[in-house]
Amino acid sequence: MNTVTTHSPQSARPGHGLTVADAMEPCDYQIANDSTVDQANDIFHSAHVEYLLVRDHDGRCEGLVTRTGLHPFLTRSWSTERTAISATSHQRGPFAWPTMALALAAIAMRIKHLVVWPVVDEDGYILGVLTADRATGLLAAASTP
């Protein structure tokens, strides 16, 4: 006698139904892409944050810059006053979108080694950020009975 075991889609895909919108957080700190490394460093120190979202001249998300990513520029003090954020190597798109499945976003973040991922609307405007810790925590909570 053959026995067929079926699994519900919910149990086959942990976190099924959760989207990036369920896990995203607001991001209060942003900087224009034509701002200098020195200006970004001032924000890092005064706001005690580890990353800033970067906007282009239209206000759309260009990427994310980290304190660590700017370190090579900060060791050469003469370059911080003249180097624009857009000239640095920083995390750029593609970005997460709010309707994206959270499990898929978590996989993409793991593959890309991202701790923070900007979330944008269909026009590229910043909605918030998704952190790896928040995504992992929500998916773990959703998979426990």
Side-chain angles (χ1 to χ4, degrees), residues 67-81:
R67 183 186 301 239
T68 305
L70 293 183
H71 185 72
F73 295 93
L74 297 173
T75 59
R76 298 173 286 168
S77 61
W78 59 269
S79 69
T80 63
E81 295 175 5

Side-chain angles (χ1 to χ4, degrees), residues 92-95 107-114 117:
R92 298 178 192 261
F95 306 115
I107 291 168
M109 290 180 77
R110 217 173 10 258
I111 290 169
K112 294 179 174 191
H113 305 286
L114 301 177
W117 199 12

